[in-house]
Amino acid sequence: MTVELAQSSFLPLLREVRGETDTVRARQFTGELLEGLDLGNLEFEDTAWRNCRFVGCDFTRSTFYRATFADCLFSGCRFRESDWRNSSLTGCKGEGG
């Protein structure tokens, strides 16, 4: 029996925006597993995240405009100097690290 893992829709987008606009805009992500990523100095605008796991990700100096996170897990992530505007976290959990 072969088990296929869902491919991330976020990682190709990250490669595309990093160094160009550094902005992730008007996207929805479900069931993403993001581990050990440098997500610092990015802008997340009008993004929706549902049932995603962020493990050891660095969001230092990132900005969140109208970003929604629902039922997500943040484990060992850093948010130093991040800016949150009109954004929400609903049913999310965080673990230090």
Side-chain angles (χ1 to χ4, degrees):
M1 171 190 254
T2 302
V3 176
E4 285 191 36
L5 298 175
Q7 285 193 319
S8 172
S9 62
F10 178 73
L11 292 177
L13 178 63
L14 178 61
R15 286 190 287 275
E16 180 183 318
V17 302
R18 181 58 89 185
E20 296 291 324
T21 63
D22 287 335
T23 301
V24 177
R25 182 177 289 121
R27 297 293 183 114
Q28 295 183 6
F29 305 97
T30 302
E32 297 279 340
L33 171 58
L34 304 176
E35 295 182 89
L37 295 178
D38 177 5
L39 303 173
N41 297 301
L42 289 176
E43 290 187 9
F44 296 91
E45 183 177 332
D46 296 312
T47 56
W49 304 82
R50 178 173 282 292
N51 295 319
C52 295
R53 290 183 56 209
F54 302 88
V55 180
C57 294
D58 187 358
F59 291 92
T60 298
R61 289 184 293 286
S62 286
T63 305
F64 301 87
Y65 300 105
R66 296 175 305 278
T68 60
F69 295 86
D71 302 315
C72 295
L73 172 66
F74 298 90
S75 179
C77 294
R78 291 175 299 286
F79 291 91
R80 284 190 281 292
E81 299 178 45
S82 62
D83 189 16
W84 296 72
R85 298 173 190 225
N86 298 317
S87 295
S88 64
L89 296 139
T90 305
C92 296
K93 295 181 181 179
E95 299 172 351

